[in-house]
Amino acid sequence: MSALALDLDRLVADTGFSGVVRVDGPEGLELVQAYGLADRAHAIPNTPDTQFGIASGTKGLTALVVMRLVEDGALSLSTAARSVLGADLPLIDERVTIEHLLAHRSGIGDYLDEELDLDLSEYLLPVPAQQLATTEDYLRCSTGTRRSSRPASASLTATAATSCSH
């Protein structure tokens, strides 16, 4: 076991962390480890493939990391988003910059094209979000749902319709 894995296990034991940790380095994947439970009520453990319904919960962390990259000179606020995204998210205009993304001024709207013949019910919560006041409420609605995300570019979460008990 690597020193990184040992340090991480120690931190998890000390803090009670529940989630998934992935560390990518210059040579590729260095570590991926899951801890704790994805569903406490049913004692279902987290796995490296567990998809968490975190919505906008990481916007602040993302901004912090991006600004650190700007500080280190790896990015600038005028860097074109396209140069980072490559072919991902092709509807994002070439003129959109990192600054636009951070300030929510990119002009990027809803990435779902409502004009296509899609069953949008697969992308909606089955109840109004304000009814999900507790973790338990949210878990009742998310159990058995499908989610998809695009790590390292944009997070597009799709929640399949399920029935919620209140």
Side-chain angles (χ1 to χ4, degrees):
M1 185 176 274
S2 72
L4 176 60
L6 290 171
D7 286 345
L8 182 60
D9 285 347
R10 244 186 319 273
L11 283 170
V12 167
D14 290 347
T15 63
F17 170 78
S18 179
V20 177
V21 176
R22 178 183 169 132
V23 178
D24 288 281
E27 304 299 318
L29 181 64
E30 291 186 20
L31 176 133
V32 62
Q33 184 63 46
Y35 299 94
L37 298 174
D39 182 339
R40 292 180 184 133
H42 298 98
I44 298 171
N46 282 319
T47 71
D49 295 322
T50 299
Q51 294 184 12
F52 300 94
I54 59 173
S56 296
T58 61
K59 284 182 180 177
L61 177 62
T62 300
L64 177 69
V65 170
V66 168
M67 289 309 297
R68 181 58 187 255
L69 291 170
V70 168
E71 183 180 88
D72 291 346
L75 284 177
S76 79
L77 292 176
S78 62
T79 298
R82 176 66 44 225
S83 70
V84 178
L85 294 173
D88 283 347
L89 305 173
L91 298 179
I92 295 176
D93 191 274
E94 299 283 333
R95 296 169 291 179
V96 173
T97 66
I98 299 299
E99 181 177 8
H100 291 133
L101 294 173
L102 287 175
H104 304 280
R105 295 184 289 117
S106 67
I108 300 170
D110 186 351
Y111 207 78
L112 289 176
D113 186 350
E114 287 86 359
E115 293 179 18
L116 293 177
D117 188 24
L118 298 173
D119 179 5
L120 295 179
S121 65
E122 292 186 20
Y123 299 92
L124 302 174
L125 287 171
V127 298
Q130 64 270 21
Q131 289 183 8
L132 305 177
T134 67
T135 302
E136 290 76 17
D137 292 339
Y138 182 82
L139 288 173
R140 273 193 295 277
C141 287
S142 65
T143 301
T145 62
R146 184 190 72 192
R147 294 177 194 84
S148 65
S149 62
R150 303 184 90 162
S153 59
S155 177
L156 305 175
T157 303
T159 305
T162 61
S163 61
C164 290
S165 56
H166 300 301

